[in-house]
Amino acid sequence: AGHILGATDRWRNESSRIRRWIADNCWCEAKQSYVWYPGTEDLDASVLLHAIGGFDRGHRMSSTIDAVRSELGAGPLVYRYSG
């Protein structure tokens, strides 16, 4: 349970390709945050799930968490979308 069938190397390569695509297409310099989708500056709190999963444990994710808290935070709660 919890395993994806197939060649491990293939899944590692696909994971790397996805990470690069997101880094190249879903980062907003103006907000210093990963954004909802390419071409927008809107935030989506679901990106926080990627921090838990280990997608990015560096400066970009830390900055994204700060941006989500700032823009979508309401006390202890967080709205899902901006706009």
Side-chain angles (χ1 to χ4, degrees), residues 50-68:
H50 299 295
I52 295 167
F55 168 76
D56 179 343
R57 296 186 184 257
H59 170 72
R60 282 186 168 192
M61 186 55 73
S62 178
S63 180
T64 297
I65 292 167
D66 292 343
V68 168

Side-chain angles (χ1 to χ4, degrees), residues 31-73:
K31 292 228 173 160
Q32 289 293 292
S33 177
Y34 290 110
V35 292
W36 189 1
Y37 56 87
T40 188
E41 289 189 2
D42 292 340
L43 301 181
D44 178 349
S46 70
V47 75
L48 299 177
L49 295 172
H50 299 295
I52 295 167
F55 168 76
D56 179 343
R57 296 186 184 257
H59 170 72
R60 282 186 168 192
M61 186 55 73
S62 178
S63 180
T64 297
I65 292 167
D66 292 343
V68 168
R69 280 185 182 155
S70 174
E71 188 169 317
L72 302 179

Side-chain angles (χ1 to χ4, degrees), residues 2-4 6 20 25 31 35 46 51 61 73 77-78 83:
H3 294 20
I4 299 174
R20 282 192 308 270
N25 295 284
K31 292 228 173 160
V35 292
S46 70
M61 186 55 73
L77 304 175
V78 177

